[in-house]
Amino acid sequence: MIALAGLLERLRYCPTAAHRQRVLAECGDATVRGVLAGTIKARKVGLPMLRALAAARVDPVLFAASQDFLGDFVETLALIWPARAGNAAAPALAEVLAEMAAAPAAEVPHLVAGWLDASDAATRLALLRLITGKLRPMTATAVSAGGSAGKITAMLMYAQSVRVGLERDYSFGVLDAAGSLVPVARVMVAERDALEAWVRAHTVAKFGPVREVAPGLLVRLAFAGVMVSPRHKAGLALREASCEAVLEAGEVGKLADLSALLD
Amino acid sequence: MTHPDTWLRPLKAGLFCEPGGFYIDPMRVVERAVITHAHADHARPGHQAVLASAPTIALMQARMGKAGVSHQALGWGERIRLGEVTVWLQPAGHVLGSAQVVMDYRGQRVVVSGDYKRQADRSCEPFEPVACDVFVTEATFGLPIFRMPDPAAEIGKLLASVRLFPERAHVVGCYSLGKTQRVITLLRDAGWQAPIHLHGALVGMCAVYERFGIALGALLPVSGDMAGAIVLAPPTGTDAKWSRRLADPVACLASGWMLSAKRARQSGAELPLAISDHADWDDLLGTIAETGAPEVWVTHGSEAALIHELGRRGIKGRALRLIGYGETA
């Protein structure tokens, strides 16, 4: 499981298929590769069983606050699982596959809890993804990123303080069919000086932690894909968007419109 | 006995010690400021009189030209009388010079810890707990999902990547003060003896560290395509213009937030490294227990969760809701 966990961590953020191939090539374990390729599958467990495990081990208020922060139940369970001193080593992938297949249903929760106890956070996450059947979609996302990925020129619309930490999120928009700006991505940005300077000088309204800014600042956004999102006025949102660059006056591109994203 | 909530109060400018006539890490310009550490969100320019540890004064001078209109450096544990309050500084283990501010007044002791961590870090003075009546803590990582891994293992991931991709440049995003020097010392301890290349923005802080006796080894500017080399740069992501000449750079980011997959993805880093200069959940609770304080005030971060847990442990918690901290995690 440890090898799988390390590989997953690394694959998740690889920028291109070629780089992923290099990382994968380093792994000589046929079972790990089979699991990643989807040719080997683990017996699946349901979320209610995992919720019961969580409830037995973790204060519900703390669990809810943590899930609220991370936005993902399985990741929350992996990170929050309290360490328990013991001698057991983290299970091998083959052991997990075999024991899960053989165990009577009533035994599965004990089995999973024992493995979680013996593992570190990254290994717990890999284990939970494996037995909830989320491993293949997770790596598939990583592997398929590129098909609909792209870059567009978008305009800064809002800056909002995030509840935890300092960072601010920035919302960027493109033009809809009527020529109005509509938000399509909310992005955390590491290099914030130019954005903050704009926000300071051009805030036109405040709604609690959200500042609306005057239009004018263009950026180049990179994204992994476009997803349908009824919550967005545009009806879609960029997946895994990141701010590549704030465009300077000399290199201002053409502000994208929605049709560019629907291709 | 005078309860601290009558003499230490969160005002708009920051935490104000009334009988001492000073603020701690004020957000606005004030007459008298005691500064816990030199990060920009705690050490702001323009105060009249600044009291801090010697390294903090030096780092503020390197960052802003001067630490205040006037400044005074206080040695570790050295007592000073400010108004009616006895004040001293104790190391906080966050970055070089970072201090806890200890205040004794009418039989009550308050410790304002500033930002702090408990992991071993040879680039700064280690945290030393002080028994107190009220402990004022941050809660940057105040959720039980935040348990920092061994930083040596995180650095091991970086070195493994350098071995796997020797034709690429590895660019580690890290804040100029604290994280940079921590990453350098971790690399040295892991056996990386080759020069480490620094973006210009990181050079000044490293020079102060060396002046205070923290050996960082060979540090060079960025030159050429840096294939096979390790480059440290401000956390600008993958895209800053200057990195375009580097050989297919592997963007790494050293931050405690990298524990969250979502944050890691949003950062754009190819290699997230969960290396933090803040106490994680276990260390927050362990430290609070060590101080023996029956009451804990929380300055910023995930205060609700921490206060909830403190309540379960019979410790009174209070959120100060100080705005403006937490820019460097």
Side-chain angles (χ1 to χ4, degrees):
Chain A
M1 283 307 305
I2 293 174
L4 176 64
L7 204 56
L8 276 182
E9 266 197 351
R10 197 61 212 269
L11 284 173
R12 198 184 303 156
Y13 306 106
C14 267
T16 71
H19 293 123
R20 277 190 293 277
Q21 288 309 321
R22 288 272 288 285
V23 172
L24 276 172
E26 236 209 353
C27 171
D29 187 323
T31 314
V32 170
R33 296 168 68 109
V35 163
L36 284 175
T39 52
I40 301 175
K41 290 192 174 69
R43 172 178 171 181
K44 274 174 75 167
V45 303
L47 289 186
M49 188 213 98
L50 295 179
R51 290 211 175 86
L53 282 185
R57 287 292 187 97
V58 185
D59 175 82
V61 174
L62 294 177
F63 196 97
S66 299
Q67 187 176 341
D68 185 42
F69 178 85
L70 291 174
D72 182 271
F73 168 77
V74 164
E75 190 189 355
T76 305
L77 182 58
L79 292 184
I80 209 169
W81 190 262
R84 200 173 255 196
N87 300 323
L93 175 59
E95 177 189 343
V96 170
L97 294 170
E99 293 199 25
M100 282 292 283
E107 274 304 305
V108 171
H110 302 287
L111 208 52
V112 172
W115 286 329
L116 291 174
D117 282 337
S119 302
D120 66 7
T123 309
R124 289 195 296 264
L125 184 60
L127 172 72
L128 290 171
R129 295 275 190 228
L130 175 72
I131 63 175
T132 53
K134 298 265 169 56
L135 194 59
R136 176 64 187 148
M138 190 168 101
T139 48
T141 313
V143 171
S144 69
S148 52
K151 295 177 184 185
I152 52 159
T153 300
M155 192 174 281
L156 180 63
M157 296 182 69
Y158 305 99
Q160 48 260 319
S161 301
V162 193
R163 189 169 55 83
V164 180
L166 96 142
E167 282 111 60
R168 263 214 242 233
D169 282 342
Y170 301 88
S171 293
F172 298 96
V174 299
L175 297 174
D176 68 8
S180 316
L181 267 180
V182 286
V184 290
R186 184 170 161 174
V187 180
M188 214 177 76
V189 181
E191 179 54 78
R192 312 182 316 148
D193 292 355
L195 293 168
E196 281 299 304
W198 186 270
V199 171
R200 269 196 302 278
H202 297 96
T203 294
V204 295
K206 289 185 192 177
F207 316 93
V210 181
R211 285 160 176 256
E212 181 180 357
V213 302
L217 186 77
L218 292 176
V219 303
R220 186 166 65 246
L221 292 184
F223 55 93
V226 180
M227 58 192 176
V228 175
S229 172
R231 286 194 306 115
H232 284 75
K233 196 174 165 191
L236 57 82
L238 302 181
R239 193 161 55 76
E240 296 179 34
S242 63
C243 178
E244 282 235 311
V246 174
L247 301 180
E248 289 160 22
E251 54 177 348
V252 164
K254 187 174 168 292
L255 180 60
D257 57 45
L258 280 177
S259 62
L261 299 173
L262 296 171
D263 287 347
Chain B
M1 303 281 246
T2 310
H3 192 276
D5 60 15
T6 64
W7 54 271
L8 185 66
R9 289 184 305 177
L11 302 184
K12 270 194 174 165
L15 199 57
F16 182 59
C17 176
E18 202 166 284
F22 61 88
Y23 286 86
I24 299 172
D25 293 353
M27 275 74 87
R28 301 178 181 188
V29 171
V30 300
E31 282 291 311
R32 296 211 283 175
V34 177
I35 303 295
T36 61
H37 67 286
H39 274 147
D41 50 334
H42 293 257
R44 305 202 176 223
H47 304 309
Q48 277 297 318
V50 165
L51 182 74
S53 72
T56 294
I57 298 276
L59 290 163
M60 287 173 76
Q61 288 169 329
R63 259 198 42 232
M64 315 186 291
K66 54 183 175 181
V69 175
S70 69
H71 65 255
Q72 181 180 349
L74 199 60
W76 299 121
E78 184 187 337
R79 265 65 169 175
I80 188 172
R81 188 88 175 165
L82 294 176
E84 302 169 58
V85 182
T86 300
V87 177
W88 43 289
L89 302 179
Q90 186 89 339
H94 176 58
V95 300
L96 181 67
S98 64
Q100 308 172 68
V101 180
V102 186
M103 288 164 283
D104 289 324
Y105 177 64
R106 295 195 180 167
Q108 292 278 300
R109 172 175 292 168
V110 180
V111 174
V112 176
S113 54
D115 290 336
Y116 64 98
K117 75 167 179 296
R118 304 302 303 272
Q119 282 183 338
D121 176 2
R122 70 174 175 83
S123 72
C124 67
E125 310 86 346
F127 182 100
E128 294 173 31
V130 182
C132 56
D133 301 293
V134 172
F135 184 65
V136 183
T137 185
E138 56 148 325
T140 302
F141 291 116
L143 285 169
I145 46 175
F146 292 116
R147 294 194 166 88
M148 295 301 157
D150 177 4
E154 297 297 292
I155 283 294
K157 291 180 188 170
L158 172 60
L159 294 176
S161 181
V162 172
R163 281 192 297 275
L164 180 62
F165 295 111
E167 79 293 359
R168 303 176 70 188
H170 282 69
V171 183
V172 186
C174 37
Y175 283 102
S176 64
L177 168 54
K179 196 64 64 71
T180 294
Q181 298 77 19
R182 177 117 190 267
V183 167
I184 293 172
T185 52
L186 284 167
L187 280 166
R188 297 308 185 203
D189 292 348
W192 183 264
Q193 296 305 328
I196 294 170
H197 298 265
L198 297 185
H199 182 283
L202 309 185
V203 173
M205 296 292 107
C206 288
V208 178
Y209 270 65
E210 299 231 89
R211 197 140 49 84
F212 280 87
I214 311 295
L216 300 175
L219 304 176
L220 295 178
V222 178
S223 64
D225 70 3
M226 294 279 95
I230 295 176
V231 178
L232 306 190
T236 53
T238 52
D239 28 277
K241 264 185 187 166
W242 72 272
S243 70
R244 285 178 200 160
R245 62 196 155 102
L246 302 181
D248 188 12
V250 181
C252 318
L253 187 60
S255 164
W257 296 115
M258 296 301 100
L259 281 180
S260 151
K262 190 169 75 175
R263 289 288 184 105
R265 210 163 43 233
Q266 286 173 333
S267 76
E270 180 176 347
L271 184 61
L273 303 170
I275 299 175
S276 170
D277 45 22
H278 293 268
D280 67 5
W281 175 255
D282 292 334
D283 285 344
L284 288 171
L285 292 168
T287 301
I288 289 165
E290 276 185 87
T291 67
E295 186 170 338
V296 170
W297 299 354
V298 186
T299 54
H300 62 286
S302 299
E303 60 260 47
L306 182 61
I307 288 170
H308 171 80
E309 178 63 22
L310 291 176
R312 280 159 38 98
R313 295 169 185 228
I315 296 170
K316 187 179 169 196
R318 173 188 172 200
L320 293 182
R321 304 189 200 290
L322 293 176
I323 309 297
Y325 296 138
E327 304 202 0
T328 51

